[in-house]
Amino acid sequence: MEWLSAENLVAVATAVLGIAASGVMLWYERRVPRRKRIGYRVQMDNPIGDDVRSGRANRRLGLFDETPGMTDATLVLLRVENDGSQGVDHDDYTGPELHGLTAVFADRTIRAVSVTQPSDTDHLMDHFTPGRGFGYDGNTLRIPRVPLNRGDYFKLLVLLSGGDVGREIRLIGGIRDGEVHPNRSATPDDKPPLFSRAARTITVMLTASVVTLAAIVVTRDDTPPPVGCESGTLTLIGSTAFAPVLREVARKYERDCADDETSIVVDTHGSTSGIRELAVTGARTEQGSPPVIAFSDGTKPSGFPDLRENRVAVSVFALVVNEGVRLPDDDLTTAEVRRLYRGEITNWRQLGGPDLPVRLVSRDANSGTRQVFQRRVLDRGEIANSSLDCVHKDDRTAPVVRCELDSTQQILTTVAKVPGAIGYSELNLATRAKGLRRLTLDGDPPSVDVLEQGGSAYPYREIEYAYTYGRPPADSLASSFLTYLTRGNGQDITRTHGHVPCWTPAGLNLCAEHPSRPPAS
């Protein structure tokens, strides 16, 4: 199930943790403080004798020095407080003794006790009488059943002897529906914490939950999936020049849709070959449109009435020469290109270039790139093939060497390797190739940017078409992929490969008009 992804599970877990922490906080605030609670803390435990093993030096004057038995004396200030949200009454003390609480000072002997309380709680002093259990014996101090409203407290200043400072001090007793517990010790110089330990723990839990959820939101890929993702198998055939676009768009479609049952295969062998293969496959299909899309550099040939066209992009092509062929301004006129491909120019020095024989490196007859070149630039077909290795003439009567290759990449590799070679290619592939020089035609550069800006008469360009056999169903993978390619995220990939998508503002105008054919020479 899609919602059981790792990201969603982490998000749900952190959300549950946050809700749980909020619930604990609510319970703590409403339930725990409402219990009756007596807290105590040691606010001072200091030596006043010179024989106390505290590691701290001290000096005494007056009674501290003159009174007998003060050599190992210590002073303890013990604060007892109601830190719950309910008052503690006389009858809430559960012990069987007359007194309510017992303070025990380990390894020390009580010598004297003084009781203090806030000025607005004078009534508390009435309870500190021997008749109500107030007294001490050895290391034990008996504290009466003192009623304490919420927030009330009293302090006990206890003079001790016979032990070291820092020894254990405990307050013992029972409270009905409540407890007696130690609080954090705080000397008069200490600053009390702003939040309780429980409040700090809950705050940390909530903060961790929020930070985790924020990290998930920031790091996850929010790119919306393609509209109408479909599963199945689809084969893309036809143009080798457009194949790099198709491979990348196919990978992105499969990744965006995240469907293991979706498989898109790119198997291109030329525009005309793809058109014919689609027609044969469609004719053999007993019902509906086969899961095949053929891409063609330009319109399909006549005689295929069942193929339905979709305009995809404007493709720009370029003439390329070996880097050793240096021409004035790296430019040829359309008339000069036609003379080259009729075999009338056999050496580059005839065009102001180096003394090198002309070698024409062309695509096979199935190539859409070749058909666009013949249709848009030559206004005729190329001369006959005369070489297998693109270097030597197999037909001695041929005016120039001319060979045919199966793919655009073979064209670029061969032109870069063979001195005096000239060929043609899809622009983006030609731009990235090494060992080549791109030519302008009649002063117009092969440039997508210039073409989009308008006003360029560069002729070697054509609309890229996608053909299906009839109209594929709306819920088919073929229909979904075409939508993704022409109007979805595939447009960005098409543009980065040097083509103008037909459904962009600039592409709408370019795809609506066919570049006019150059006049025949």
Side-chain angles (χ1 to χ4, degrees), residues 101-165:
L101 302 173
T102 301
V104 179
F105 300 85
D107 300 332
R108 286 186 275 187
T109 301
I110 300 174
R111 298 297 185 184
V113 181
S114 175
V115 182
T116 62
Q117 82 291 318
S119 59
D120 57 349
T121 57
D122 292 341
H123 61 282
L124 298 181
M125 296 301 294
D126 296 338
H127 298 275
F128 289 93
T129 65
R132 297 192 178 188
F134 184 46
Y136 63 86
D137 182 18
N139 67 348
T140 303
L141 172 62
R142 298 181 296 274
I143 303 172
R145 298 171 178 256
V146 181
L148 293 173
N149 294 323
R150 179 182 178 185
D152 283 354
Y153 68 91
F154 58 86
K155 296 182 180 182
L156 302 168
L157 184 62
V158 185
L159 176 63
L160 301 151
S161 65
D164 296 336
V165 298

Side-chain angles (χ1 to χ4, degrees), residues 145-225:
R145 298 171 178 256
V146 181
L148 293 173
N149 294 323
R150 179 182 178 185
D152 283 354
Y153 68 91
F154 58 86
K155 296 182 180 182
L156 302 168
L157 184 62
V158 185
L159 176 63
L160 301 151
S161 65
D164 296 336
V165 298
R167 306 295 290 178
E168 182 184 24
I169 300 173
R170 292 182 294 123
L171 192 64
I172 304 170
I175 303 295
R176 181 178 292 107
D177 297 328
E179 63 178 352
V180 176
H181 68 101
N183 284 332
R184 175 182 178 272
S185 297
T187 67
D189 293 333
D190 287 340
K191 293 183 179 181
L194 295 176
F195 304 100
S196 67
R197 179 180 298 176
R200 292 196 300 270
T201 300
I202 293 170
T203 300
V204 170
M205 291 173 65
L206 289 174
T207 301
S209 299
V210 171
V211 170
T212 303
L213 285 172
I216 292 173
V217 171
V218 170
T219 58
R220 72 179 182 180
D221 184 6
D222 286 329
T223 303

